[in-house]
C-alpha cells in the first residue's frame, strides 16, 4: 500500500470517527487520539447507561475491527441504620436494619459491635427499579442487655467500587436497666470501740440516687453514731447492740434492687506480750585425742550452747 493510500485510509478513519461521535450525540464523549494505528476516546461522568459493547473499526482494505465491553460499577449509597429507639429497656428485643441502594454488583453488608463482627444476621438483596442496580439490606436481631449500654453498633458496606474504603453507619446503644447493688465493708474483723464504714455500690441507668439504709428491716436505731453520707454508712464506737442485718436499697425509674450485710461485732482482742525463749544447756561427754606436751590421751567434756562449743580438757 502506498503512502497516498494510507493517507486516504487515515482520512476515512477520521471521517468515520467523527460520524460515530456525531451519532452518539453525547458531549461527554471526546476523541483523544486518532492515528493510523490507534483510535482513543474518553467518556466523562460515566453512568450505568454507558455500559455495553464498543466497536473500533479501521477502514483499511480489508476493514479491521476490534470490540471491547465496558462494565460500569454501581457505587452503593451511604448506608442507613433504622429501627433504633432510645432508650431501650433491658430485656427488650431490638431489630436494627441497615440498607444501601445503587450497588452493582450487589454490595456486601457486615455488622459489628464495637470491633467484633456479628455473624448471625439476616441478608436481603433486591433489584432496583432500573433493573441494573441492587438494594441490599441486613437485619440485626437481639435482646438488649445492660452490657450493651454504650456499645457502638456499626453497619459496614464493602464494594469493589469503594477501593477498599468501606462505607460505615454507626449507632450508639443506650440501654436502661434496674440497679445492681453491692455492699463493701471497711473492716474484715470489726471489734468493739472501733468504727466501720459500709459502702453501697449501686449501678444502674439512670443512676440510682440516693440509696436507702435500714437495719433489721427498720430505720437505723442510733442516728448519732450511724451516719449516712451519700452511699456510705459510718458506724462509730461499735458495740454488741450494733449486731444485725444492714440492707442497702437502690431505686431508679426502671426498678429497685437491694442487698444485705450481716454485721458481727467481736470482742476486743487480747494482745499477747512477746516471750523470750532461753535455750537450755546441753552437755555431752566425748572422747578425743589432743596434742599435749606429754603426748598422752585424755578425756574432755564439751558443753554446747546454740552455735558454740566449749571444750574443757582435763590433764
Amino acid at each position: 500500500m502506498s503512502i497516498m493510500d494510507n493517507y486516504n485510509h487515515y482520512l476515512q478513519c477520521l471521517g468515520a470517527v467523527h460520524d460515530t461521535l456525531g451519532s452518539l450525540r453525547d458531549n461527554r464523549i471526546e476523541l483523544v487520539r486518532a492515528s493510523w494505528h490507534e483510535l482513543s476516546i474518553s467518556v466523562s461522568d460515566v453512568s450505568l447507561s454507558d455500559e455495553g459493547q464498543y466497536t473500533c473499526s479501521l477502514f483499511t482494505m480489508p476493514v479491521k475491527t476490534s470490540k471491547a465491553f465496558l462494565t460500569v460499577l454501581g457505587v452503593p449509597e451511604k448506608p442507613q441504620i433504622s429501627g433504633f429507639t432510645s432508650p431501650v429497656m433491658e430485656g427488650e428485643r431490638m431489630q436494627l436494619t441497615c440498607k444501601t441502594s445503587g450497588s452493582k454488583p450487589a454490595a456486601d453488608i457486615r455488622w459489628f459491635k464495637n470491633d467484633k463482627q456479628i455473624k448471625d444476621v439476616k441478608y436481603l438483596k433486591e433489584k432496583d427499579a432500573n433493573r441494573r442496580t441492587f438494594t441490599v439490606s441486613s437485619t440485626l436481631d437481639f435482646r438488649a442487655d445492660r452490657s450493651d449500654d454504650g456499645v457502638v453498633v456499626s453497619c459496614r458496606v464493602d464494594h469493589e467500587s469503594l477501593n477498599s474504603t468501606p462505607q460505615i453507619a454507626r449507632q450508639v446503644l443506650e440501654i436502661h436497666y434496674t440497679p445492681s447493688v453491692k455492699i463493701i465493708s471497711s473492716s474484715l474483723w470489726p471489734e468493739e470501740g472501733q468504727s466501720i464504714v459500709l459502702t453501697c455500690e449501686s449501678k444502674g441507668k439512670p443512676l440510682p440516687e440516693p440509696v436507702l439504709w435500714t437495719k433489721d428491716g427498720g430505720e437505723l436505731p442510733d442516728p448519732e453514731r450511724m451516719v449516712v453520707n451519700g452511699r456510705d454508712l459510718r458506724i462509730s464506737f461499735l458495740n454488741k447492740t450494733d449486731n444485725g442485718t444492714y440492707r442497702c436499697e437502690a431505686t431508679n425509674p426502671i426498678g429497685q434492687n437491694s442487698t444485705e450485710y450481716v454485721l458481727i461485732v467481736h470482742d476486743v482482742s487480747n494482745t499477747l506480750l512477746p516471750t523470750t525463749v532461753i535455750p537450755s544447756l546441753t552437755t555431752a561427754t566425748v572422747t578425743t585425742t589432743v596434742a599435749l606436751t606429754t603426748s598422752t590421751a585424755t578425756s574432755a567434756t564439751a558443753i554446747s550452747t546454740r552455735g558454740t562449743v566449749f571444750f574443757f580438757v582435763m590433764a
Side-chain angles (χ1 to χ4, degrees):
M1 181 179 293
S2 66
I3 296 177
M4 183 59 68
D5 290 336
N6 286 332
Y7 179 71
N8 290 331
H9 291 156
Y10 175 63
L11 292 179
Q12 290 175 356
C13 179
L14 288 180
V17 168
H18 286 112
D19 290 342
T20 301
L21 294 178
S23 64
L24 290 175
R25 297 177 183 178
D26 195 330
N27 294 329
R28 298 179 300 113
I29 301 177
E30 296 180 357
L31 176 64
V32 176
R33 180 178 301 175
S35 67
W36 293 359
H37 56 82
E38 181 181 350
L39 178 63
S40 300
I41 63 173
S42 68
V43 183
S44 58
D45 298 327
V46 175
S47 65
L48 292 172
S49 61
D50 295 320
E51 180 171 291
Q53 182 171 277
Y54 288 74
T55 302
C56 173
S57 298
L58 181 61
F59 291 93
T60 59
M61 293 299 291
V63 176
K64 296 180 180 179
T65 301
S66 180
K67 297 181 180 181
F69 191 90
L70 175 63
T71 299
V72 179
L73 300 177
V75 181
E77 298 176 359
K78 183 177 177 60
Q80 301 290 332
I81 296 178
S82 61
F84 179 75
T85 57
S86 182
V88 177
M89 302 300 115
E90 183 179 33
E92 289 184 354
R93 183 166 294 279
M94 296 182 62
Q95 283 190 336
L96 302 181
T97 299
C98 178
K99 179 182 290 187
T100 178
S101 300
S103 59
K104 177 181 173 294
D108 180 48
I109 293 181
R110 288 186 287 173
W111 286 96
F112 293 83
K113 273 188 179 181
N114 290 335
D115 295 325
K116 185 177 180 181
Q117 184 176 352
I118 305 171
K119 298 289 187 179
D120 188 16
V121 294
K122 298 177 181 178
Y123 186 83
L124 180 62
K125 178 178 67 174
E126 296 177 318
K127 276 193 174 183
D128 294 331
N130 59 22
R131 310 304 296 173
R132 294 182 178 181
T133 58
F134 293 88
T135 293
V136 182
S137 62
S138 179
T139 301
L140 178 62
D141 191 342
F142 65 100
R143 194 171 296 279
D145 184 80
R146 63 184 61 197
S147 62
D148 294 324
D149 184 51
V151 167
V152 178
V153 172
S154 57
C155 164
R156 170 174 166 171
V157 174
D158 292 287
H159 193 263
E160 53 191 295
S161 66
L162 299 177
N163 297 322
S164 302
T165 305
Q167 294 182 342
I168 300 176
R170 295 179 175 88
Q171 177 66 62
V172 180
L173 302 184
E174 182 181 3
I175 312 299
H176 282 194
Y177 53 93
T178 57
S180 61
V181 188
K182 179 173 65 174
I183 295 177
I184 300 176
S185 173
S186 63
S187 175
L188 298 178
W189 188 266
E191 297 181 351
E192 287 187 297
Q194 295 180 347
S195 296
I196 190 173
V197 177
L198 302 180
T199 300
C200 180
E201 283 193 354
S202 59
K203 298 179 181 179
K205 194 164 186 179
L207 186 67
E209 286 284 358
V211 297
L212 175 64
W213 283 99
T214 58
K215 178 179 184 289
D216 296 331
E219 296 182 355
L220 299 176
D222 193 342
E224 293 185 359
R225 291 189 306 111
M226 301 176 176
V227 179
V228 176
N229 182 15
R231 301 177 184 276
D232 295 339
L233 169 61
R234 182 182 183 87
I235 307 176
S236 304
F237 305 108
L238 288 171
N239 59 67
K240 294 299 182 67
T241 64
D242 297 325
N243 289 344
T245 300
Y246 292 79
R247 176 190 293 266
C248 170
E249 183 178 288
T251 304
N252 69 3
I254 311 303
Q256 66 178 26
N257 203 351
S258 63
T259 190
E260 296 179 342
Y261 175 84
V262 178
L263 175 62
I264 300 176
V265 179
H266 301 274
D267 295 330
V268 178
S269 302
N270 294 323
T271 304
L272 299 177
L273 296 176
T275 58
T276 302
V277 179
I278 302 176
S280 60
L281 293 178
T282 302
T283 62
T285 301
V286 298
T287 301
T288 186
T289 302
V290 294
L292 299 176
T293 55
T294 58
S295 301
T296 59
T298 62
S299 65
T301 300
I303 301 177
S304 67
T305 60
R306 181 175 299 176
T308 306
V309 176
F310 302 93
F311 288 93
F312 298 92
V313 180
M314 306 299 292

